[in-house]
Amino acid sequence: QSPLGSFLSGVRQRYPFIQLAGHKGDFISGQGGIIYKKSSVLEKAALESLMSDVLKPMVPLYFKAVQIEDSQGSKAEYLEMQDLLGNFTDPSVMDIKLGVRTFLESEVIKTTRRPDLLQKMMKLDPDEPTEEEKEHGITKLRYMMFRERLSSTNTLGLRVEAVKKAHEPPRNDFQRVKLRSEVFRVIESFFPPRDTEPELHDRVKRRILDRLEAMRDKLPVSSFFKCHELIGSSLLFIYDSTGKAGVWMIDFGKTSRVDKEIHHDLPWKLGSQEDGYLIGLDNIITMIGDC
Ligand code: ATP
Ligand code: MG
Ligand code: MG
């Protein structure tokens, strides 16, 4: 029995909700193509302003914030939005995180040296820390930058978070997928196989590329995009065996308004607030084109 069982009692879903990333408790699937995501200040503000921006067709429709009470009687705010899986049957789903950086500058401004982060780094690569760092520990910035170098985030401006193919269990073991050729193989394997299902392959790829190109055209003229840094935001790719396919921008939990204009196609330097969103988008468009 879920803690939100009372809220959901009598509600039956036609199809199961597939959640690839994030904390399991943060989503509740509703009825009629609606889901609820645990609210945060940044994501609520972002979705609100996206509903009156040219990017509206590229994101899940956002309806409102609602208070939901669990069985213990404590209330939390959730964001009611469109369930993008709603129109699909047994979908294949892929979450790709865009951008050359996945942490906020505000998360890494502390210069405290942390022995716990040194230990985590040593576990991943005992030769990474210098002798001086082994003695004094490492900052959060050093740790985050090290982690991002393991994946394709810095180099390609994107990383594969998770993939769920129809009738297969989800996979999220892509932390060390870094080379362009490795990323390409994962992306290629998400699409219907060209040799056994050539028509479906072409149809799905064409629809997805059309959507990505429409997105690429809208982003530079979006007033939302001009004044927000998009950190940890994903593209959610969905298709099913009927050839229905789409891709949407999701996850604005670390998307925030900034005072200056962001270019989105530059590498990041501490203080620049650049996110490299378009670097990742351009790379994904090229890679899918080559699939
Ligand atoms: P994290 O920050 O760890 O990436 P999060 O808690 O911010 O996670 P999201 O990334 O927004 O959560 O979503 C997690 C997963 O839930 C996505 O990978 C996707 O599978 C699913 N999901 C999110 N939003 C939607 C939506 N509107 N429709 C359908 N599925 C969704
Ligand atoms: Mg996410
Ligand atoms: Mg998030």
Side-chain angles (χ1 to χ4, degrees), residues 115-156:
D116 58 320
L117 295 180
L118 174 69
Q119 289 314 314
K120 283 191 177 182
M121 178 187 270
M122 301 270 284
K123 233 185 214 166
L124 288 161
D125 183 355
D127 297 328
E128 175 65 23
T130 64
E131 289 308 314
E132 191 269 346
E133 287 175 334
K134 282 182 188 158
E135 202 171 311
H136 297 104
I138 55 171
T139 63
K140 177 140 185 203
L141 177 62
R142 169 82 166 97
Y143 178 71
M144 297 302 271
M145 290 180 73
F146 160 69
R147 280 304 302 270
E148 296 200 335
R149 269 194 280 116
L150 297 179
S151 81
S152 51
T153 288
N154 291 163
T155 46
L156 297 178

Side-chain angles (χ1 to χ4, degrees), residues 109-251:
I109 42 175
K110 283 205 193 132
T111 52
T112 322
R113 299 287 201 112
R114 293 179 46 183
D116 58 320
L117 295 180
L118 174 69
Q119 289 314 314
K120 283 191 177 182
M121 178 187 270
M122 301 270 284
K123 233 185 214 166
L124 288 161
D125 183 355
D127 297 328
E128 175 65 23
T130 64
E131 289 308 314
E132 191 269 346
E133 287 175 334
K134 282 182 188 158
E135 202 171 311
H136 297 104
I138 55 171
T139 63
K140 177 140 185 203
L141 177 62
R142 169 82 166 97
Y143 178 71
M144 297 302 271
M145 290 180 73
F146 160 69
R147 280 304 302 270
E148 296 200 335
R149 269 194 280 116
L150 297 179
S151 81
S152 51
T153 288
N154 291 163
T155 46
L156 297 178
L158 62 91
R159 76 173 190 226
V160 183
E161 281 286 290
V163 177
K164 157 104 183 64
K165 296 255 304 187
H167 318 298
E168 288 177 24
R171 282 188 58 191
N172 60 4
D173 51 342
F174 304 112
Q175 287 83 352
R176 284 174 182 267
V177 174
K178 179 183 168 97
L179 298 176
R180 190 184 184 94
S181 56
E182 296 167 336
V183 177
F184 181 81
R185 269 200 299 279
V186 176
I187 293 173
E188 191 181 34
S189 70
F190 166 71
F191 286 96
R194 182 196 281 277
D195 46 352
T196 54
E197 295 176 89
E199 273 166 38
L200 186 63
H201 173 95
D202 288 349
R203 177 133 51 120
V204 167
K205 237 181 71 175
R206 192 65 262 152
R207 295 222 164 123
I208 298 251
L209 278 173
D210 285 349
R211 274 288 282 184
L212 289 172
E213 273 148 22
M215 199 180 277
R216 186 64 180 86
D217 290 343
K218 282 180 195 291
L219 285 165
V221 297
S222 155
S223 48
F224 177 88
F225 197 55
K226 264 191 196 85
C227 64
H228 283 80
E229 57 170 332
L230 279 71
I231 301 301
S233 180
S234 285
L235 291 179
L236 193 68
F237 295 79
I238 313 175
Y239 73 85
D240 65 22
S241 61
T242 69
K244 208 176 279 171
V247 51
W248 288 266
M249 300 166 64
I250 64 159
D251 195 357

Side-chain angles (χ1 to χ4, degrees), residues 1 5 7-17 29-33:
Q1 169 83 33
F7 166 74
L8 289 171
S9 62
V11 176
R12 274 274 158 271
Q13 278 237 249
R14 270 181 306 110
Y15 58 90
F17 176 64
S29 62
Q31 204 177 21

